[in-house]
Amino acid sequence: MKFEVILKGLLALLLLILWSCNEGILKTGEQSIYSLIINDVAQPIPPLPPPPLGKESVMSMPKEIIDSLEQISLDVAIAPFFNISKTNLNKQKIDLEYHSVIDLLFSKDTIHIISDEMIGLQKKHRVDVINEAELRDKKRLFEHFDQLIYLSNITFNAERNRAVVYVGWTREGRLAGGTLLYLLKREGKNWFIEDVRELSIS
């Protein structure tokens, strides 16, 4: 009888450890995905406009300047999307692995919630998750932040090796902003950005 109690106790402890490890892996994966996106979106200057159709771009910067700009640390405000606008995204050129995940993201009728824990510590930029009240006063917001990034919650496929995130970004006082769809893939324990689709730009 005593042996059975000890065995049940050990099994319960093992299950708790496995559950904790799994929760840790999920949180780490979530933080890795958001870090990749924040570092990709947060730039000291907006991307150069595309060249006219059929012409090569004449607007370019020396690699040394680009490298130095990429080292600049920004103050970035993070806010959740309160609703996601459905888009006429052409999925024909997107890997089939992502189609059902994209459909799932845009079919969700939910408020997206982003927390400091989900974002985690960022190595490059100073990041702060803001609330709805702070978001209303954009003028005051941009007195403290260089850029505002909106994030949806992450939508995974069943195997949790593909993910999509709906992203918006804007800067104060410039016609600079837009929405993007990030497609991410996991290999082993590591996530990387496989593709980014521009949905709108202003």
Side-chain angles (χ1 to χ4, degrees), residues 8-24:
K8 285 179 180 178
L10 289 172
L11 285 172
L13 181 62
L14 180 61
L15 287 171
L16 180 63
I17 291 169
L18 289 172
W19 178 83
S20 299
C21 289
N22 189 50
E23 284 289 297

Side-chain angles (χ1 to χ4, degrees), residues 49 72 76 87 90 94 114 159 178 193:
I72 295 173
V76 180
T87 178
N90 185 354
I94 295 177
I114 303 295
E159 294 77 18
I193 297 168

Side-chain angles (χ1 to χ4, degrees), residues 112 127 197:
H112 294 261
V127 174
R197 295 296 167 122

